[in-house]
Amino acid sequence: MTLRAMLTLGRLRSAVLPTAIWAWTRGVLMLYVYNVIPYISHSDITGDVKLYNRWSNILSHGHFPQHDPTWQYPPGAAIVIELPRVVRSLTGLSYYSAFYAMALASDLIIFLLVVYRCWRTADEAGTRQVNYLGAYAYVAAIFMVGPFAFGRYDITVTMLASVGLVVVLRSATSTSRLRGVAIGLGTIVKVWPVALIFGLPHGTQGRRALIWAVLGAAVPTLLLLAMPGSLSFLTQQNNRGLEIESVLATPFLLARPLGYHGVIRDRYGSWEIIGPGTSEIATFCELLTLLGFCWLLWWRRRARLTPERWTEGVYYDVGLVAVMISIITSRVLSPQYLVWVCGLLALCLSLAPLGRRGGTVLVGPCWLLLGTISITQLEFPLLFAPLVHGSVKAALFVTGRNALLVAATIWAGYLLWTRYAAPEAERTERPTATRNVERKAAGVPAID
């Protein structure tokens, strides 16, 4: 069904409440951003934008900030960072206001894409009543992340990824091309959208999307390579250690009160723990990420994602699992990384009403992730300074947050396996009571 056919008066009326809640919550967040309402630490909202502004000034002179150790982003990030300066020259807005406007517009686009997906779900389920669970989840998730979601460019990257996940054009060929280009552009801006390729179907459409992803990444990159320092991020990124909020850093934080001689220092734009074994574990993080992605490739082979078996539910679910693997195995786990999760879990939940007929299998992990996101602002910025200064309570809190992220990832991976890749006997011989719990969570009638 086309978007024009979906835009009925009844649909628009049904979307008024989630839209009003989006507008209210974003209004509150922008009051924090502009310091109309005092925030816990306003500098944590504006700090990265100040850095982007400095970088944009360097980029406008035709080269990358190659001598700045905090520049650790792919070449495509220059496009997003430079865009507010272009808006500034056209409108007279400050760089800060132009950046916040770009972030807010990206947030609105993601919200509208989730609403659109909710409408399509209602059509696929054959019902007039639209379930806006995914839209409400997205609105709440970003609100719980806090105002610094608009002080980072991650929300713009999430918008690019959401376009590649949601938008369906008139032909399957055009849709595959759009998906590929969106994944490719997102990858050269902040790498993680490349994880979405694991959910592409086998066959012609999947190969076409992959080819266009390569083109979408390669063409802008080749143009940006003409600027000096375009690949300097590789050196800066390779020198990074264990950021104190990352999953693999938590054992070292917990060991400090027990006599471990580790220090916390500000390096490469983040607070890292430095001591015996940390450099080896930082290297091991890359191996863990590779192993996680190898598991996904094995899962793809077992799942046999032929065009007949492939659904958008598979696409969203695999995307969420892949991104969660990259987050929990990363050397860095900044709070803004959870913005990536906000868009993906909202899209998964927008499919929940479909149940096993093309819906998500990750309802439970999505709710666990929402619960984890709800404590984000307690971890950062409230407890971040105590964590830097060696607070045991702050270290225990971060450990608990990371344990929840790991649990959600393992749970999601298990559900993905049992639904699509486990032997048929394992999928069909589960007790009826177990299957009814899953169906109830997805809003589908139980089996008698």
Side-chain angles (χ1 to χ4, degrees):
M1 182 177 288
T2 64
L3 178 61
R4 180 177 296 180
M6 290 185 185
L7 286 174
T8 63
L9 184 59
R11 285 274 171 86
L12 294 175
R13 285 176 178 172
S14 71
V16 167
L17 181 58
T19 304
I21 296 175
W22 176 87
W24 181 82
T25 55
R26 276 32 178 189
V28 172
L29 291 178
M30 294 308 290
L31 290 176
Y32 283 125
V33 165
Y34 281 99
N35 211 23
V36 176
I37 302 176
Y39 188 62
I40 303 168
S41 175
H42 191 256
S43 61
D44 288 320
I45 303 173
T46 60
D48 277 35
V49 185
K50 182 178 181 180
L51 187 61
Y52 299 158
N53 187 19
R54 177 159 60 85
W55 285 342
S56 72
N57 185 51
I58 297 172
L59 290 165
S60 65
H61 287 84
H63 59 87
F64 284 81
Q66 54 188 321
H67 301 300
D68 187 341
T70 60
W71 173 260
Q72 299 164 9
Y73 304 105
I79 301 171
V80 178
I81 290 171
E82 188 66 15
L83 183 59
R85 181 169 290 272
V86 175
V87 174
R88 174 187 176 183
S89 65
L90 296 175
T91 64
L93 293 172
S94 68
Y95 182 90
Y96 290 82
S97 292
F99 183 88
Y100 297 141
M102 179 184 71
L104 186 62
S106 298
D107 177 58
L108 176 59
I109 291 171
I110 298 170
F111 170 74
L112 293 176
L113 287 171
V114 176
V115 169
Y116 166 68
R117 179 61 255 191
C118 291
W119 288 354
R120 285 180 51 205
T121 297
D123 290 335
E124 291 167 14
T127 177
R128 293 184 178 180
Q129 187 173 1
V130 181
N131 186 329
Y132 288 106
L133 177 62
Y136 287 124
Y138 178 73
V139 171
I142 293 295
F143 190 66
M144 292 187 295
V145 166
F148 64 85
F150 296 112
R152 312 290 191 271
Y153 79 82
D154 297 80
I155 199 163
T156 301
V157 184
T158 305
M159 181 269 292
L160 288 173
S162 299
V163 169
L165 286 164
V166 177
V167 176
V168 175
L169 302 179
R170 288 182 179 272
S171 70
T173 298
S174 299
T175 300
S176 296
R177 289 172 178 169
L178 176 64
R179 281 181 177 144
V181 170
I183 291 173
L185 289 175
T187 299
I188 65 167
V189 174
K190 205 166 184 179
V191 181
W192 69 264
V194 72
L196 302 181
I197 65 174
F198 289 104
L200 294 173
H202 290 305
T204 303
Q205 300 306 329
R207 288 193 296 270
R208 182 176 287 116
L210 185 59
I211 291 170
W212 280 89
V214 173
L215 291 174
V219 173
T221 300
L222 289 174
L223 296 175
L224 291 167
L225 286 177
M227 296 173 61
S230 57
L231 298 180
S232 60
F233 77 99
L234 294 172
T235 302
Q236 326 285 34
Q237 189 65 242
N238 188 57
N239 291 332
R240 295 194 78 163
L242 276 181
E243 195 262 340
I244 57 176
E245 297 165 285
S246 64
V247 171
L248 271 296
T250 50
F252 296 101
L253 294 177
L254 295 176
R256 291 184 76 203
L258 302 177
Y260 173 74
H261 298 292
V263 296
I264 296 175
R265 292 178 181 170
D266 186 4
R267 297 175 69 242
Y268 300 102
S270 64
W271 290 92
E272 298 179 356
I273 185 163
I274 304 169
T278 56
S279 59
E280 289 79 8
I281 294 298
T283 302
F284 182 61
C285 286
E286 298 177 356
L287 177 61
L288 274 181
T289 304
L290 180 61
L291 289 174
F293 286 169
C294 286
W295 177 83
L296 279 173
L297 287 174
W298 184 42
W299 172 89
R300 275 183 61 89
R301 183 175 180 181
R302 292 291 299 269
R304 296 188 180 89
L305 297 183
T306 60
E308 294 76 20
R309 297 187 64 191
W310 186 88
T311 65
E312 287 192 45
V314 176
Y315 191 25
Y316 298 175
D317 287 353
V318 179
L320 180 57
V321 172
V323 169
M324 287 304 303
I325 288 173
S326 69
I327 287 175
I328 67 170
T329 60
S330 174
R331 291 176 291 180
V332 182
L333 207 173
S334 298
Q336 63 264 26
Y337 287 17
L338 297 180
V339 173
W340 317 345
V341 180
C342 294
L344 289 165
L345 71 84
L347 290 174
C348 287
L349 290 177
S350 70
L351 295 174
L354 293 176
R356 297 181 66 86
R357 298 170 298 166
T360 181
V361 297
L362 305 185
V363 173
C366 285
W367 286 116
L368 180 55
L369 286 171
L370 272 173
T372 307
I373 290 169
S374 70
I375 61 175
T376 297
Q377 293 181 77
L378 295 177
E379 185 271 318
F380 182 90
L382 190 61
L383 292 176
F384 190 74
L387 181 66
V388 170
H389 292 96
S391 168
V392 176
K393 291 182 179 179
L396 289 172
F397 189 88
V398 171
T399 301
R401 190 282 306 269
N402 288 346
L404 290 174
L405 290 175
V406 172
T409 306
I410 294 174
W411 187 10
Y414 169 76
L415 293 176
L416 200 65
W417 176 267
T418 55
R419 171 69 180 270
Y420 299 110
E424 191 66 27
E426 293 181 23
R427 295 200 296 266
T428 58
E429 291 178 3
R430 290 174 301 152
T432 299
T434 301
R435 286 183 284 159
N436 280 341
V437 170
E438 295 176 358
R439 293 173 70 87
K440 184 178 180 181
V444 179
I447 302 171
D448 293 332

